[in-house]
Amino acid sequence: MGTLKLGLMDTIFKNYGDTIGILGISSGTFMSTSNILRKPGFGTSSAARFHERRANSIQVESAEFSGFQAGLQYSFADAKTDTRNQTTTSMGVKWDNGPFYVALAYEIHDGYFSGSSPTATGSMRNTNDQAVNSKDTATQFTIEYRLAKDHRFEFDWIQKNYDENATVAGRFQNYNNNAYLLAMENRWSDQWRTAANFVRSDAGSCARVAAVCSTDGLDGSKFTLGAA
């Protein structure tokens, strides 16, 4: 009927949308595209990134029917208070048949304050305001084409939104942006294969309570080549 998993694992969002990487590597190195593709252009916290392994996870995946499969994952926090409860909900559907792979995924982060907590200006943060809540969401579309077994090509589009319901003047309210990835991996012989990625993220737009908000300088791009 399907698969049930409990524990510490990659989210459905990451699994369904991260298919090629660089020579099989997608996380934990400078080659990874996730810091541009799956997080905003400010701050260093991984909490803002939609490319994580989540603890305390319950994950359910359906059986595969004619290439279609769906997954749902919920991760809850170790600590919970009356006003703070960090949870992650990740879901997606994919179709894998012949030369084409197509996936659509959606993820929700509740209570992470990933928009305001990484900002350099303390007056913009909502973390200590118990009356404010946060919700971060991301939508991801992935398509991959495989030419025989030797050549793979992938395109990703991601839209990310970071929302906090602040009411105090100057505080952070919203940030959103789009990012795109082109990736390929090619095997030229039994001994040689190459890989290339290009990822681009736009600067996006933002809003503060009764204050000007600028995203100048938050765009970025990265080009990676590899051979094995």
Side-chain angles (χ1 to χ4, degrees), residues 119-186:
T119 60
T121 306
S123 60
M124 291 175 61
R125 298 187 189 124
N126 296 305
T127 315
N128 295 324
D129 190 338
Q130 302 301 307
V132 179
N133 294 308
S134 76
K135 176 172 286 189
D136 313 328
T137 61
T139 304
Q140 172 178 263
F141 172 75
T142 299
I143 183 167
E144 181 184 332
Y145 176 71
R146 303 157 186 152
L147 185 60
K149 295 181 179 180
D150 297 327
H151 304 282
R152 300 169 62 193
F153 305 89
E154 177 187 346
F155 170 75
D156 284 6
W157 165 80
I158 293 182
Q159 183 183 63
K160 302 176 290 293
N161 294 279
Y162 300 84
D163 293 301
E164 299 175 18
N165 60 338
T167 57
V168 176
R171 296 278 184 85
F172 172 91
Q173 281 186 311
N174 171 266
Y175 174 75
N176 63 80
N177 83 330
N178 293 278
Y180 314 88
L181 169 69
L182 292 171
M184 66 178 182
E185 183 169 295
N186 309 92

Side-chain angles (χ1 to χ4, degrees), residues 4 17 27 29 36 42-43 53 55 69 74 77 83 112 126 129 142 148-149 194 202 207 212 214 218 222:
L4 171 67
S27 301
T29 79
I36 296 177
F42 56 92
R53 188 177 297 167
Q69 190 172 25
Y74 180 78
T83 57
Y112 284 92
N126 296 305
D129 190 338
T142 299
K149 295 181 179 180
T194 58
D202 62 32
V212 174
S214 172
L218 297 188
K222 183 177 184 178

Side-chain angles (χ1 to χ4, degrees), residues 4 37 53 55 65 91 108 117 145 149 157 161 166 198-199 202 213 220 225:
L4 171 67
L37 186 68
R53 188 177 297 167
F65 300 97
M91 64 195 78
I108 305 167
S117 61
Y145 176 71
K149 295 181 179 180
W157 165 80
N161 294 279
F198 176 76
V199 58
D202 62 32
C213 190
L225 287 173

